[in-house]
Amino acid sequence: MDVTRGRTRKIKVDDDLVASHLYTDRQNHALTKGGIQRLYVGNVKSGKHEITAIFTGLGPDNREYTRGATMIFEKDEDPKMIEVRVRDSEANMQPKFDFKEWEL
């Protein structure tokens, strides 16, 4: 499995689709070289929220798959950024999601 063969990435906040992007091969290649992409900029009210990242790609034998991961975060008055990384997990041949919160 190779996350560079990913086709789409979607972001949901509290079950609302807030971002979706269909990637070209060139964009996927740039992401594997360390590139980043801002998928969504928006405001959410203070309190607990759920963010879901959904990844669609091609796995072994060119079979399409969809995987997702969810994180609960707490928003206060200060600005916050959520980083979502999609990485290869060769052990189970599926993408692995890492979430990281940044205080701005």
Side-chain angles (χ1 to χ4, degrees):
M1 202 264 326
D2 183 359
V3 297
T4 63
R5 299 174 72 195
R7 298 292 181 235
T8 61
R9 289 164 181 92
K10 297 179 183 180
I11 301 293
K12 290 183 177 184
V13 176
D14 299 329
D15 282 329
D16 292 328
L17 183 63
V18 295
S20 179
H21 190 80
L22 177 63
Y23 290 84
T24 65
D25 289 339
R26 185 175 177 186
Q27 290 170 319
N28 278 320
H29 182 70
L31 290 171
T32 62
K33 296 290 185 187
I36 61 171
Q37 181 186 14
R38 182 180 298 183
L39 284 175
Y40 173 69
V41 176
N43 293 318
V44 295
K45 295 179 182 178
S46 293
K48 287 190 178 185
H49 297 277
E50 179 180 88
I51 185 169
T52 303
I54 302 164
F55 180 86
T56 302
L58 293 175
D61 301 322
N62 284 325
R63 294 180 128 175
E64 189 171 288
Y65 64 89
T66 300
R67 297 289 181 267
T70 299
M71 174 188 147
I72 303 294
F73 68 97
E74 180 111 16
K75 173 67 173 79
D76 55 23
E77 285 84 34
D78 296 328
K80 182 176 283 199
M81 182 174 70
I82 308 287
E83 176 182 354
V84 181
R85 288 186 184 185
V86 182
R87 301 174 185 238
D88 265 340
S89 175
E90 294 182 16
N92 60 5
M93 301 289 284
Q94 295 181 4
K96 178 183 176 199
F97 293 87
D98 295 321
F99 292 95
K100 182 174 182 178
E101 291 185 50
W102 296 86
E103 297 290 333
L104 303 177

